[in-house]
Amino acid sequence: MPEEKSPSHVSLARNLISEAGAIVAFLALANIVFLVLTQVGSDHPAPYLGLLIYIVLPAILILGLVLFGIGVIIERRRRRRHAPEDIPPYPRLDLNVRRTRRVFLLTVVGITLFIGISMVGTYHAYHYTDSDQFCGTTCHQVMHPEYTAYKASPHARVGCVNCHIGSGATWYVKSKLSGAYQVYSTIANKYPKPIPSPVHDLRPAQETCEQCHWPEKFWGAQLKVFNHFGYDEANTPRETRLLIKTGGGSPTNGPTTGIHWHMNIANEITYIASDDKRQNIEWVQMKDRNGRVTEYKLNDSKLTPQQIASMPKRRMDCIDCHNRPTHIYTPPDKAVDKALLAGRLDRSLPYIKQQAVTVLTKDYKSTAEALKTIQDDLQKFYDGKDVRRQIGELQEIFQTIRFPEMNVDWRTHPDNIGHFYSAGCFRCHDDQHVAKDGTKITKDCQACHSLVGQAQAGVVMVESPKADFQHPVDIGELREMNCVECHTGSSM
């Protein structure tokens, strides 16, 4: 009959907690190996696979190992209480004993492998959490509008982290700490709908945007052609050609004139906004390269000098005008104009501009409801005509510019470039911001652009050198109003 082992010879890992931890760690490791092989063998891995491989399963593996260690510690303490003479205060390590030597060797090899695998896993986890896929698809519903708009934007090939984090360890750590709370908000369903903008703790543009866009080299002017289509039966095409005075901000490369006069090279602009979206600007300070300071205050502003002195001020940078460089939610009016110009919508269809903007502008409770209504409304209006291609195009446009589930569309995040669909430039350039000496921040169109020509239905309306814009429709005294007061993105 074999001799019964004493408690001191029974492995400390023979307890429920350690055994459970070992099972959890083994299953996690087996799943990691299986999913890695799946990822390697797949041309199009699932978007959540990286999250499982590099974050979720490693966390479970470590949890299992921690449970294993906790079980050993608890079991050792329990045995010492019952038989302190059998369990010494500290573990014995006698490498002259074959069994001890074998266990020690296996432990060293195991720890070495674990550290090596952890280093590789950490490296991949770092890259995965910096990937566009992680930023855009991990929190699917929350980030769906931003990720969709990003993929359709001019910066679609620029990584999310290049703009939102930039280089350096400090901002990387800050972003991950912020991201931890965002993950909690997503799991607890505590995130706002829509996600508010602008991001108030966004890294300064000088440390992100200007890594590619070198502002000291900006100067001169650019010709830009704006194409619109009428809401009439013929979908009348309209063309406006403007010479945009981009200008420059660096006195070493040319005069500091034009739009980029605002850049923080020769001049420093500071302002106070009375709303979180920075659309209502009540006070502006301009400091030129010679140190001269001029303050402008909105005519109807009730801010006192004491309030101005104590209120938070923002130093203007690229993102104050280029506030939607990537996540662009195009107004229906503009989106349909682009589709008509590209030939994706048939401009020979009567009133297609009007009908397209109408169905894209309606308020819907869900994307599914919107897609069905777009189909039903167009089929009803064009009864007897084959409009399947038009329906498909408008459904695609809707899913790119509007997101009912998150309450996101072009009205949620106004674009400050220009002044057609939102106040934009007119937030300051409105003839209403006045300095103490009576000087105003100009609203003169010629300060930023010159009209080169206008045409409607192929007929020239205005040609250079005439510079006054002619509205396609006689609007009388309404010419003094800002564009955005009529052009809401969903109408003429």
Side-chain angles (χ1 to χ4, degrees):
M1 184 174 179
E3 183 179 351
E4 186 177 350
K5 291 184 178 180
S6 66
S8 61
H9 291 88
V10 176
S11 173
L12 294 174
R14 296 291 298 273
N15 64 83
L16 187 60
I17 296 177
S18 294
E19 290 171 351
I23 293 172
V24 169
F26 174 78
L27 291 176
L29 181 61
N31 277 279
I32 290 173
V33 173
F34 172 75
L35 291 177
V36 166
L37 293 176
T38 301
Q39 186 182 48
V40 170
S42 174
D43 294 330
H44 303 286
Y48 298 106
L49 204 56
L51 182 66
L52 287 172
I53 294 173
Y54 303 120
I55 297 177
V56 176
L57 288 175
I60 296 174
L61 172 62
I62 293 172
L63 174 64
L65 294 175
V66 169
L67 285 175
F68 181 87
I70 290 173
V72 169
I73 293 171
I74 292 175
E75 178 65 15
R76 192 172 191 281
R77 289 179 176 177
R78 186 188 68 80
R79 293 187 189 181
R80 273 191 57 79
R81 284 198 303 269
H82 291 84
E85 67 282 355
D86 292 335
I87 306 294
Y90 300 99
R92 293 193 182 96
L93 183 62
D94 188 353
L95 297 181
N96 293 306
V97 179
R98 183 179 178 184
R99 180 176 179 276
T100 304
R101 191 167 58 248
R102 187 167 59 244
V103 171
F104 177 76
L105 181 61
L106 290 173
T107 302
V108 170
V109 171
I111 292 174
T112 303
L113 288 174
F114 179 75
I115 292 174
I117 293 171
S118 298
M119 292 173 65
V120 173
T122 302
Y123 172 79
H124 283 285
Y126 165 78
H127 281 282
Y128 176 70
T129 56
D130 268 7
S131 68
D132 301 335
Q133 185 184 64
F134 175 79
C135 296
T137 62
T138 302
C139 305
H140 181 68
Q141 179 171 322
V142 184
M143 296 306 297
H144 177 61
E146 281 71 22
Y147 191 54
T148 302
Y150 159 73
K151 290 190 293 183
S153 78
H155 288 90
R157 292 190 176 183
V158 179
C160 302
V161 296
N162 291 343
C163 295
H164 286 273
I165 300 176
S167 60
T170 303
W171 279 89
Y172 176 82
V173 173
K174 287 177 67 174
S175 71
K176 297 312 171 188
L177 292 175
S178 172
Y181 178 77
Q182 292 166 8
V183 170
Y184 160 74
S185 299
T186 303
I187 295 172
N189 195 26
K190 290 188 175 183
Y191 55 88
K193 299 180 183 180
I195 302 298
S197 69
V199 180
H200 287 273
D201 58 352
L202 192 66
R203 192 169 185 178
Q206 287 84 357
E207 301 175 20
T208 52
C209 310
E210 293 184 12
Q211 301 305 304
C212 296
H213 303 278
W214 194 355
E216 290 199 11
K217 301 300 180 182
F218 293 157
W219 58 280
Q222 296 173 315
L223 178 65
K224 190 165 184 179
V225 180
F226 297 87
N227 293 280
H228 300 283
F229 292 85
Y231 286 74
D232 56 347
E233 183 177 0
N235 309 299
T236 303
R238 301 165 182 166
E239 181 184 279
T240 303
R241 297 188 299 278
L242 292 178
L243 189 66
I244 309 296
K245 299 176 182 179
T246 307
S250 172
T252 60
N253 291 303
T256 54
T257 59
I259 299 168
H260 282 152
W261 170 92
H262 298 84
M263 292 188 301
N264 289 319
I265 301 174
N267 304 293
E268 181 181 318
I269 312 297
T270 310
Y271 68 87
I272 294 175
S274 58
D275 67 317
D276 285 339
K277 288 185 176 293
R278 300 173 184 159
Q279 296 300 299
N280 302 315
I281 297 177
E282 298 195 31
W283 177 88
V284 180
Q285 176 183 280
M286 191 276 289
K287 182 179 179 181
D288 65 18
R289 59 180 174 175
N290 297 316
R292 291 190 297 265
V293 176
T294 307
E295 293 185 12
Y296 301 87
K297 187 178 176 183
L298 189 64
N299 271 332
D300 59 357
S301 173
K302 294 181 173 58
L303 292 179
T304 64
Q306 293 76 18
Q307 288 175 317
I308 291 174
S310 62
M311 290 179 71
K313 300 172 182 64
R314 173 171 170 80
R315 182 173 175 177
M316 184 178 181
D317 69 7
C318 311
I319 212 71
D320 285 287
C321 293
H322 299 273
N323 67 318
R324 309 305 302 178
T326 300
H327 306 288
I328 305 168
Y329 302 103
T330 309
D333 176 68
K334 187 175 181 179
V336 173
D337 281 340
K338 288 182 177 180
L340 285 166
L341 185 66
R344 297 194 303 272
L345 289 175
D346 185 1
R347 69 176 71 173
S348 67
L349 277 174
Y351 296 108
I352 184 61
K353 169 70 181 288
Q354 179 194 87
Q355 292 303 306
V357 173
T358 298
V359 295
L360 289 174
T361 303
K362 286 183 178 180
D363 288 327
Y364 303 100
K365 294 180 180 178
S366 67
T367 300
E369 178 192 348
L371 300 184
K372 186 177 187 307
T373 304
I374 290 171
Q375 177 177 324
D376 293 345
D377 284 7
L378 258 71
Q379 286 179 338
K380 181 179 179 180
F381 186 86
Y382 294 104
D383 186 30
K385 293 185 178 181
D386 184 5
V387 290
R388 286 176 296 179
R389 185 165 69 90
Q390 324 303 318
I391 291 171
E393 176 63 23
L394 291 177
Q395 289 175 332
E396 180 67 24
I397 290 174
F398 184 90
Q399 293 177 88
T400 305
I401 67 172
R402 297 198 63 189
F403 306 87
E405 291 80 2
M406 285 295 294
N407 301 317
V408 171
D409 59 29
W410 78 100
R411 295 164 295 193
T412 313
H413 305 292
D415 192 342
N416 291 331
I417 285 292
H419 47 74
F420 198 65
Y421 299 109
S422 62
C425 312
F426 290 156
R427 293 176 300 156
C428 298
H429 292 270
D430 56 0
D431 276 342
Q432 299 299 312
H433 287 75
V434 186
K436 291 180 180 179
D437 62 0
T439 306
K440 298 179 180 179
I441 299 181
T442 182
K443 192 182 178 182
D444 181 12
C445 301
Q446 299 298 312
C448 294
H449 50 67
S450 296
L451 184 65
V452 177
Q454 274 183 268
Q456 180 165 301
V459 178
V460 174
M461 297 171 61
V462 175
E463 276 190 304
S464 181
K466 185 173 181 179
D468 293 335
F469 174 79
Q470 291 188 15
H471 200 282
V473 180
D474 185 8
I475 56 176
E477 295 180 356
L478 297 179
R479 286 178 58 86
E480 299 303 317
M481 297 172 59
N482 290 338
C483 307
V484 68
E485 295 181 56
C486 292
H487 294 274
T488 61
S490 58
S491 64
M492 292 188 289

